[in-house]
Amino acid sequence: KDAAVFHAFAEAGHELAGLHINYESAKKFPLDEIENKDVPLNWRVEAMKLTKDKSAIVYNDFLTLSGIPPEVFDYKLGNRSALEWIIDQYRVTKDEQGNIVSDPNHADDEKYIVNLIGKIITVSLETLKLVKSLPELTP
């Protein structure tokens, strides 16, 4: 029995490593892309924010991504979910003097961040599914 439990954890670890290392090739979770027709098409992000109910991300004035499954917030990196980490980190920032700009937008792939969000949601959900499938450990 102990060997079976060990092998289940080893296999899950192998799957998790592959899932996380290859997150960029994960299937994109199908979010609803709600476009504001009153503003020009724009895939650039300045600073994203979650809606109060956490069911959508206001990406910019042009785009809102909705249909975020609530369980995605159960997969945590420290004290926040992977999705919340992406929302926090993928924003344009400047140093105190305004001389150095950090811009996460990719000129060669305008939808990189939109696609990344979908992939991170998939990785988070698949991680939770794998962890929940593990056998219970008994002392």
Side-chain angles (χ1 to χ4, degrees):
K1 182 178 176 181
D2 290 341
V5 170
F6 172 80
H7 288 293
F9 274 82
E11 179 60 29
H14 178 74
E15 289 181 42
L16 286 168
L19 183 63
H20 288 250
I21 289 169
N22 300 306
Y23 72 94
E24 293 241 12
S25 61
K27 196 175 204 178
K28 186 176 138 186
F29 185 85
L31 293 169
D32 296 320
E33 296 183 5
I34 302 166
E35 300 175 0
N36 181 349
K37 303 295 183 192
D38 295 332
V39 292
L41 174 95
N42 183 6
W43 298 108
R44 284 190 52 78
V45 70
E46 293 294 324
M48 298 177 276
K49 65 179 179 178
L50 277 169
T51 57
K52 286 188 182 202
D53 65 0
K54 294 186 173 186
S55 67
I57 297 169
V58 178
Y59 185 83
N60 62 19
D61 291 340
F62 167 73
L63 183 66
T64 298
L65 302 170
S66 71
I68 298 170
E71 58 271 19
V72 78
F73 298 100
D74 294 339
Y75 173 58
K76 303 277 189 187
L77 300 171
N79 62 350
R80 57 189 166 164
S81 71
L83 183 58
E84 289 168 309
W85 188 90
I86 293 292
I87 291 167
D88 183 51
Q89 295 297 309
Y90 280 71
R91 62 180 61 230
V92 175
T93 59
K94 295 180 182 177
D95 71 339
E96 289 181 19
Q97 291 77 31
N99 298 323
I100 301 172
V101 176
S102 176
D103 187 344
N105 295 285
H106 289 212
D108 61 330
D109 184 359
E110 291 180 315
K111 289 185 78 174
Y112 173 78
I113 299 171
V114 170
N115 292 331
L116 177 65
I117 290 167
K119 292 173 184 185
I120 293 302
I121 290 173
T122 296
V123 169
S124 297
L125 295 173
E126 290 299 313
T127 297
L128 290 169
K129 189 186 311 179
L130 274 167
V131 170
K132 287 178 183 175
S133 74
L134 290 169
E136 193 172 312
L137 293 175
T138 55

